[in-house]
Amino acid sequence: VPRNIPPLKPLDGGAALFLLDTCNKVFVDVVPGVGSSILQKRMTQTADLVRPSFQRTVGAEVDLTVPIESILRSEQFNFWSYVQFRVYAEILSEKRIDVRDFRKAFEGRVGQAVLSTLYPQFAKSALTTSASASQEDMMQGQLEASFREIDTFCNILVNKGLVAATSERSPVDKDDLFDFVDDLRDLQFSIALDKDAALESQILLQEQGYRIVPNYARFAIQQLLQHRLSTTPESGAEVKIDDYYLDTDYNSDPNLFEVKQVLMNVVLEH
């Protein structure tokens, strides 16, 4: 049965601008020899260059006379996300910087900033455990807390107009959780986000061969899980997230295929 996806709520312009600004600031900090003025000049040049093709691909008009500081529509946010991440990728290529090393530093810092600003309650949260609790009990408590926090964070994204809806996070079987805590197996679950406001920019960048995309939700969720797992460092667990792009209408005709959902497959590995 096709999934009925609601329209995006009105975009929270402050949140959208924060995401774009944060990415620029972190990029300048992480990549040597790139100042804010150089980055801004590159983005302006790229915006003029790619706007016609972006509009044809996405099917929405982008008005460059509207200053980025006044961003109010998801189409603008989508476009500037594309421009910024395309420029990032081009600069990394020019400087011969390893994309994997860059992504680890960049996505971690952006994810932490996103959590701190859009979900300040998470930064203040602390899990209370008994002084006599075992490492296994502590890890189980941290993981169960993280599942609730992911659900809360996804709802924040919906209310800020950054995603249209979030499908129910796939349930984690208690036996699988216990096995992970006991170091017997990895733990896997999925998170589905419908109609991400930057969805078209993510797809277009990947189709063009770029290896970094503006999946702001993934940056934050990965950091959230990593933070919870770091409270029990003895586990040695790492968080890996892969993105899959799905058509929730399940069209068998490839000509009718239209991506509407980002499915994040989360694996916690020992």
Side-chain angles (χ1 to χ4, degrees):
V1 179
R3 176 172 168 76
N4 184 26
I5 299 176
L8 284 162
K9 291 186 177 181
L11 181 68
D12 183 324
L17 184 59
F18 166 78
L19 292 174
L20 296 172
D21 281 346
T22 297
C23 287
N24 283 341
K25 290 174 182 175
V26 173
F27 184 84
V28 169
D29 285 345
V30 170
V31 178
V34 180
S36 298
S37 59
I38 294 175
L39 185 61
Q40 188 59 54
K41 182 179 180 181
R42 288 284 296 264
M43 289 193 303
T44 300
Q45 294 170 339
T46 299
D48 289 332
L49 176 67
V50 305
R51 183 171 70 99
S53 60
F54 183 88
Q55 289 181 150
R56 287 194 301 271
T57 302
V58 175
E61 185 174 346
V62 179
D63 186 357
L64 290 184
T65 63
V66 177
I68 192 171
E69 293 81 6
S70 302
I71 191 166
L72 294 173
R73 297 174 55 196
S74 59
E75 292 86 354
Q76 292 171 286
F77 176 64
N78 200 2
F79 175 70
W80 284 109
S81 293
Y82 171 76
V83 169
Q84 289 190 184
F85 277 72
R86 174 168 168 153
V87 170
Y88 299 162
E90 291 172 348
I91 292 175
L92 294 177
S93 177
E94 292 163 9
K95 289 182 169 291
R96 300 183 183 276
I97 293 174
D98 188 285
V99 174
R100 290 171 297 182
D101 292 341
F102 166 80
R103 283 186 57 181
K104 185 175 181 179
F106 175 82
E107 294 179 3
R109 288 180 58 177
V110 171
Q112 185 58 55
V114 171
L115 285 174
S116 299
T117 300
L118 300 189
Y119 188 10
Q121 297 89 341
F122 171 76
K124 300 174 183 177
S125 67
L127 185 66
T128 302
T129 57
S130 168
S132 60
S134 66
Q135 286 291 328
E136 290 78 9
D137 289 341
M138 289 178 61
M139 183 184 292
Q140 181 181 336
Q142 293 287 358
L143 288 171
E144 290 175 341
S146 72
F147 299 150
R148 295 189 296 270
E149 289 162 346
I150 288 170
D151 295 341
T152 299
F153 177 69
C154 288
N155 288 330
I156 290 172
L157 296 178
V158 171
N159 290 329
K160 291 189 177 296
L162 295 168
V163 300
T166 175
S167 303
E168 183 178 355
R169 172 181 46 79
S170 64
V172 175
D173 185 81
K174 283 287 186 182
D175 289 337
D176 291 342
L177 180 59
F178 294 153
D179 285 348
F180 174 77
V181 169
D182 290 336
D183 202 9
L184 297 177
R185 70 168 76 177
D186 297 338
L187 187 65
Q188 182 173 330
F189 60 95
S190 62
I191 304 163
L193 300 179
D194 297 325
K195 191 54 182 151
D196 188 306
L199 181 62
E200 288 83 4
S201 63
Q202 295 175 29
I203 296 170
L204 189 54
L205 285 163
Q206 292 187 82
E207 288 178 345
Q208 294 172 339
Y210 297 110
R211 295 167 57 196
I212 52 173
V213 299
N215 189 337
Y216 308 105
R218 174 168 55 77
F219 301 165
I221 290 171
Q222 182 147 4
Q223 195 64 22
L224 185 157
L225 287 164
Q226 202 68 62
H227 171 76
R228 282 297 184 193
L229 289 173
S230 69
T231 59
T232 53
E234 295 81 358
S235 70
E238 293 187 3
V239 182
K240 293 190 177 181
I241 302 180
D242 292 317
D243 304 331
Y244 298 92
Y245 295 86
L246 306 178
D247 181 353
T248 52
D249 288 342
Y250 307 105
N251 286 308
S252 57
D253 185 345
N255 294 321
L256 298 177
F257 182 83
E258 180 184 357
V259 174
K260 300 182 180 71
Q261 183 182 88
V262 182
L263 181 70
M264 292 185 283
N265 185 61
V266 182
V267 181
L268 308 185
E269 296 183 341
H270 280 295

